[in-house]
Amino acid sequence: MTVTYQFEYAERLRVAFIGAGGHSYRNVYPAFQYAPVDLVAVCDVQLDRAETYARRFGAAAAYADHREMLSVERPDAVFIVTSYTSEGDVQATALAEDCVRAGAHVWMEKPTAAGMAQLDRLQAAADETGRTVMTGLKKIFTPAAEKVKAIMGTPEFGVASSISVRYPQALPAPEERSDDVRMIGFLDHIFHPAALLTYLMGPVRRLSYEWEPGTGASVSSLLFESGAVGTLHLAAGSANGAPLERVEVIGSGANVVVDNGVRITYYRAGADLGYGRSGSFVTDDAVAPLRWEPEFSLGQLYNKNLFYLGYVPEIVHFCESVLAGRPVEKGTLGDVREILKLYELYRRLPAGTSATIGS
């Protein structure tokens, strides 16, 4: 993968940005250095912040009212990174609808919506206007996740039979799950492991889980539409300084593991270590495990978090898809629908029980 710098693109989108917060400052605006965009305007309810971000990132105009910005600037696309309402709704959902109805394509940070009803409304607006709406599901754009997906597609790996995903997130107590505000933290973070599960294994058909009340940790048992099985360990209570994530996919005599999002180990099929008689653990080179991880000594793009966390790849995918007039392949509203099915199931399903997820 060779990266193209922003100024090297022959064709760029005129984009506006709604939101001037800390997350976007660190991770989204800087990614524009490597995407086909011309940032023309920034909007935030705090006009002074919009003006500051406009100066910092090269936009000519700043606004406090997004509708005014859409009317005056008529951008090709709008990036939205905002927060929640006092009632626990996702601010970006209604903003995205305003943008597509104004004729702009939308890239929005997760979560896309706080529930299926809100997603249905946004989907209807996107269908009616023919505009693209993509959600920033960064985990499925990471080099590690894309490599795992590629390995899973090889004949040597075989059919994926099971998956295990570990992610540190608490599930609120049952009596709190009907409260949208108390569920904000869970909604905000379930998008990450759920996106990985559905990207790698497809839709979930059935889910059951056990819940630990001290930390809010849970372990879920999953059955996928493909017939594969899996576990989702929401490891609340783990140390803040520990590696946060682990993903393992099992094939047919092979498995692939990603630790900490950047260390990939592919245990290939064919190793012969017969029980009881093997004098060495070293397998033949032709079937020995393969490992990839970045070095952090050189000033390479791949060891910047904008790349190994998936921010640049997802933004480039959105921009290039819109410029080419083709649908986005990942981060679609259909992908979001599968995630929200899981989220809504966790809200209503008691621990120790199982439920089948509808289509």
Side-chain angles (χ1 to χ4, degrees):
M1 172 188 175
T2 300
V3 176
T4 302
Y5 294 152
Q6 185 266 353
F7 62 85
E8 296 174 327
Y9 281 96
E11 184 181 10
R12 295 187 286 271
L13 292 172
R14 293 181 68 257
V15 307
F17 205 117
I18 300 176
H23 168 57
S24 62
Y25 186 90
R26 294 188 304 274
N27 301 314
V28 184
Y29 286 96
F32 287 175
Q33 297 174 85
Y34 313 102
V37 301
D38 282 327
L39 181 64
V40 298
V42 175
C43 178
D44 193 86
V45 291
Q46 299 181 48
L47 182 59
D48 60 335
R49 290 184 68 89
E51 292 170 340
T52 298
Y53 278 49
R55 288 192 300 271
R56 174 66 181 84
F57 296 106
Y63 296 84
D65 186 322
H66 72 281
R67 292 185 178 88
E68 179 186 2
M69 180 184 72
L70 292 169
S71 176
V72 173
E73 301 293 342
R74 309 301 298 176
D76 299 321
V78 178
F79 284 74
I80 306 173
V81 184
T82 50
S83 187
Y84 297 85
T85 70
S86 58
E87 293 79 28
D89 284 328
V90 176
Q91 291 176 341
T93 314
L95 293 169
E97 182 178 349
D98 287 345
C99 291
V100 298
R101 294 198 181 282
H105 302 279
V106 170
W107 182 97
M108 59 194 303
E109 185 56 286
K110 59 80 190 166
T112 317
M116 207 66 76
Q118 297 92 325
L119 179 65
D120 287 342
R121 181 180 172 93
L122 179 56
Q123 180 75 71
D127 292 343
E128 180 183 335
T129 59
R131 301 294 91 181
T132 294
V133 178
M134 177 177 160
T135 298
L137 303 181
K138 68 177 184 178
K139 295 295 182 183
I140 64 177
F141 285 90
T142 64
E146 292 188 332
K147 183 61 176 178
V148 169
K149 186 74 167 178
I151 289 171
M152 291 171 63
T154 63
E156 295 78 15
F157 187 80
V159 176
S161 57
S162 64
I163 186 172
S164 174
V165 173
R166 177 191 185 278
Y167 188 86
Q169 176 60 39
L171 176 62
E175 64 272 15
E176 298 177 347
R177 295 177 200 168
S178 61
D179 186 330
D180 291 341
V181 174
R182 291 181 179 271
M183 287 296 290
I184 283 175
F186 188 77
L187 172 64
D188 206 56
H189 288 280
I190 192 61
F191 266 66
H192 290 319
L196 274 173
L197 285 166
T198 54
Y199 172 59
L200 295 175
M201 304 297 285
V204 176
R205 180 193 303 170
R206 189 165 64 242
L207 177 148
S208 64
Y209 72 96
E210 298 293 340
W211 179 75
E212 189 276 318
T215 64
S218 63
V219 177
S220 299
S221 176
L222 309 168
L223 174 66
F224 294 91
E225 292 286 352
S226 66
V229 295
T231 59
L232 173 58
H233 179 194
L234 296 180
S238 56
N240 289 333
L244 298 184
E245 304 171 33
R246 193 172 199 270
V247 177
E248 181 172 14
V249 184
I250 312 297
S252 301
N255 55 302
V256 59
V257 179
V258 179
D259 285 309
N260 209 28
V262 293
R263 185 180 299 109
I264 311 165
T265 305
Y266 177 25
Y267 297 95
R268 296 184 287 174
D272 183 12
L273 294 171
Y275 179 73
R277 295 285 183 171
S278 295
S280 173
F281 61 88
V282 178
T283 58
D284 293 338
D285 290 353
V287 294
L290 301 176
R291 175 170 288 179
W292 299 265
E293 60 181 308
E295 52 72 29
F296 292 99
S297 297
L298 302 176
Q300 288 276 28
L301 293 179
Y302 59 66
N303 59 30
K304 295 180 182 291
N305 74 315
L306 294 178
F307 286 85
Y308 67 72
L309 291 181
Y311 289 111
V312 170
E314 66 181 351
I315 288 170
V316 170
H317 177 67
F318 169 75
C319 294
E320 291 185 346
S321 297
V322 170
L323 284 169
R326 62 174 181 259
V328 295
E329 297 177 0
K330 297 188 290 185
T332 67
L333 294 181
D335 294 337
V336 171
R337 186 170 298 277
E338 295 303 320
I339 295 170
L340 285 179
K341 287 178 184 178
L342 296 176
Y343 170 70
E344 294 196 339
L345 199 59
Y346 278 115
R347 294 196 73 171
R348 64 177 173 80
L349 183 66
T353 63
S354 66
T356 299
I357 301 173
S359 60

